[in-house]
Amino acid sequence: MPQIASETLANGLPLHRIHLDGTRATTILVAFDAGARTERPEENGMAHFLEHLVFKGGEKYDDYRKVNETAERMGGSLNAYTSHDLVAFHITVRAESAPDAIDLLTDFVGRPKLDQDELDRERGVVIQEIARYDDQPSAVAEHLIDRAAFGDHPLGRSVLGPAEHLRTFTRDAIVAFRERRWTGARGGAFIVGNTDHVAANGATAALFERFPTIGEPEPYEPAPAFVPQTLVERRDSNQSHLRMSYRPDIDVDDRAQRAAMTIYSTLLGGSMGSRLFDEIREQRGLCYSVYAMDHAYADVPVLQLSAGLDSSKCGEAYARMKEIVAELHADGPTEEEVQRARAYAAGRRVLAFENTNAVARYAANQAIVHGEDLDPDRAIEALDAVTFDEVAAIAKKVDPQTLSVACVGPHDADEF
């Protein structure tokens, strides 16, 4: 049973301690509602670029070598991520090193130098990162399906942004974005795992108060109505990368419906026993990779189907994948499918939560994106509690005829 204690610091930043028995590790994670969704059009790519820049040093650890070498001397795993939802920084260490890890993370993330010379150097690094992704057809397909599903809305833009934006970002603009979005009211700090070595006398809070006090940010732009598109990037290749995006008619504020959608996507394409894997891969041999995944943004759900396959088989696979969604809509799943998918999804969650970093990421998403409780046990209980009728209802809420499609390969849009 996790022991959870939460407080709000003087700078407005919520601090959550989640003590987990039976681990010798501690993860410290700080996150903000400052992902790609919160960027203005001309800022696209800035949230991710800022993530890179803070690693160049703060006040105490004032260059990238000190940041990296200090983490290594702790035996720590230090990293960060930017999504449409969040920007987050995290370090996982042995529990005895947690106080030093908090000192390190809050220094360079809470009070970064954002040095102009380092900015100019890192600009070229991120442009190379963008070029690398553009060379990967599967990554291009992910960008295309977001655009096909959300159009010009921020959720339809790439997290990395276009290279031409990176060339124009100034230090003043980046600082302004940080001062606008990295607010305690829309963020959180999380100490997860073995917290025995983390001081409870105010010293820990003082370190997290290195983050400046910033007022409430402007709200994110609501997700647009679903206007399905088909987008194809034609490439002369033998392999195609297919993506299909549906928008189930569910309430993302309803935790039970989100859990049922996870069970539905699992039986559809989330395991080797799923309908997509069994028929598209095993029975028909149409592809090596095929899967389904669900995601809930703050105000809109997404169900995505993906396949990587021989281009000559793309049309057949696409048609049959659509039919499988239609069959579930018309006839529903079987009791056995739901039982198996529920056990698999809950079991995967249990195994993931053996990792303190996974619990910290879950807690950040729960607190900042959904405004819900952080208890990882409740996440498992929510999956265990899903009923057959709830999953059958989700199947009915996926309109099989209304979907966006994206493909990279030797195809034209009218093939879909």
Side-chain angles (χ1 to χ4, degrees):
M1 176 70 72
Q3 299 153 42
I4 302 173
S6 300
E7 60 181 308
T8 299
L9 306 180
N11 58 0
L13 182 69
L15 173 59
H16 308 280
R17 302 167 192 247
I18 305 175
H19 181 84
L20 305 174
D21 291 327
T23 180
R24 298 173 65 178
T26 307
T27 292
I28 300 95
L29 184 149
V30 180
F32 295 96
D33 171 24
R37 180 172 191 172
T38 67
E39 297 167 336
R40 295 165 182 166
E42 69 277 8
E43 294 173 335
N44 184 213
M46 191 173 286
H48 172 256
F49 189 34
L50 176 57
E51 174 217 308
H52 276 241
L53 292 176
V54 301
F55 278 87
K56 301 305 179 181
E59 293 184 11
K60 181 177 179 180
Y61 306 94
D62 59 3
D63 66 52
Y64 69 91
R65 287 192 182 92
K66 290 179 183 177
V67 170
N68 296 337
E69 291 171 2
T70 301
E72 290 172 8
R73 278 194 292 271
M74 298 176 200
S77 175
L78 175 65
N79 215 325
Y81 61 90
T82 304
S83 66
H84 284 98
D85 299 302
L86 299 172
V87 62
F89 303 84
H90 52 93
I91 183 169
T92 300
V93 294
R94 59 192 302 173
E96 296 86 347
S97 297
D100 293 332
I102 294 170
D103 178 49
L104 172 65
L105 195 72
T106 58
D107 178 62
F108 77 86
V109 182
R111 47 191 192 186
K113 290 194 309 180
L114 301 179
D115 179 78
Q116 181 65 55
D117 291 339
E118 291 289 1
L119 186 155
D120 290 334
R121 273 190 290 271
E122 196 66 17
R123 192 193 309 275
V125 171
V126 177
I127 288 172
Q128 290 179 62
E129 183 181 2
I130 294 169
R132 184 190 70 172
Y133 277 94
D134 287 345
D135 282 343
Q136 298 175 6
S138 60
V140 174
E142 292 296 326
H143 297 165
L144 281 181
I145 194 60
D146 285 344
R147 186 149 53 89
F150 292 102
D152 292 331
H153 185 273
L155 291 175
R157 302 178 195 140
S158 163
V159 170
L160 298 182
E164 54 267 28
H165 280 193
L166 270 293
R167 296 186 178 96
T168 66
F169 291 154
T170 65
R171 183 183 186 279
D172 286 347
I174 292 167
V175 170
F177 176 79
R178 181 177 182 272
E179 291 178 347
R180 192 176 83 241
R181 296 305 319 181
W182 285 28
T183 71
R186 295 294 304 142
F190 306 83
I191 305 172
V192 179
N194 185 330
T195 62
D196 291 343
H197 299 270
V198 179
N201 61 1
T204 299
L207 292 176
F208 284 103
E209 286 171 355
R210 288 170 169 172
F211 287 89
T213 302
I214 298 174
E216 183 80 26
E218 62 193 31
Y220 57 75
E221 182 182 342
F226 193 29
V227 181
Q229 299 182 68
T230 297
L231 299 177
V232 173
E233 180 165 314
R234 188 172 180 86
R235 294 197 180 187
D236 186 13
S237 60
N238 294 323
Q239 290 286 309
S240 296
H241 296 268
L242 174 66
R243 302 291 185 268
M244 302 158 62
S245 181
Y246 298 83
R247 192 175 296 186
D249 183 22
I250 74 164
D251 179 3
V252 292
D253 291 329
D254 187 325
R255 190 172 189 168
Q257 287 194 47
R258 297 203 314 267
M261 185 168 74
T262 295
I263 305 305
Y264 169 84
S265 71
T266 301
L267 69 86
L268 173 62
S271 72
M272 289 189 292
S274 66
R275 289 201 182 191
L276 290 177
F277 193 93
D278 182 71
E279 181 165 341
I280 304 299
R281 186 188 191 279
E282 297 293 350
Q283 293 185 44
R284 295 175 179 252
L286 294 176
C287 64
Y288 173 75
S289 171
V290 63
Y291 57 92
M293 59 177 290
D294 62 287
H295 181 73
Y297 294 104
D299 60 345
V300 66
V302 172
L303 173 70
Q304 181 175 309
L305 281 59
S306 303
L309 67 173
D310 187 294
S311 298
S312 66
K313 299 177 179 179
C314 188
E316 182 184 354
Y318 167 72
R320 186 61 194 133
M321 290 163 73
K322 274 189 67 177
E323 289 172 356
I324 290 171
V325 172
E327 288 164 3
L328 280 167
H329 177 83
D331 304 326
T334 67
E335 292 270 9
E336 193 276 334
E337 278 182 306
V338 171
Q339 182 180 18
R340 180 160 39 86
R342 183 175 55 225
Y344 184 77
R348 289 289 295 270
R349 186 63 60 90
V350 168
L351 297 178
F353 283 171
E354 290 294 300
N355 183 311
T356 58
N357 186 278
V359 176
R361 287 179 177 233
Y362 166 79
N365 197 67
Q366 281 291 101
I368 300 171
V369 177
H370 295 296
E372 296 177 348
D373 74 86
L374 318 180
D375 189 342
D377 284 355
R378 286 203 61 195
I380 298 163
E381 292 167 1
L383 293 172
D384 283 336
V386 172
T387 67
F388 170 81
D389 288 342
E390 288 172 328
V391 180
I394 296 294
K396 292 290 187 185
K397 292 176 181 290
V398 180
D399 183 347
Q401 304 304 320
T402 306
L403 71 157
S404 288
V405 180
C407 190
V408 178
H411 306 284
D412 295 315
D414 58 12
E415 295 178 40
F416 303 97

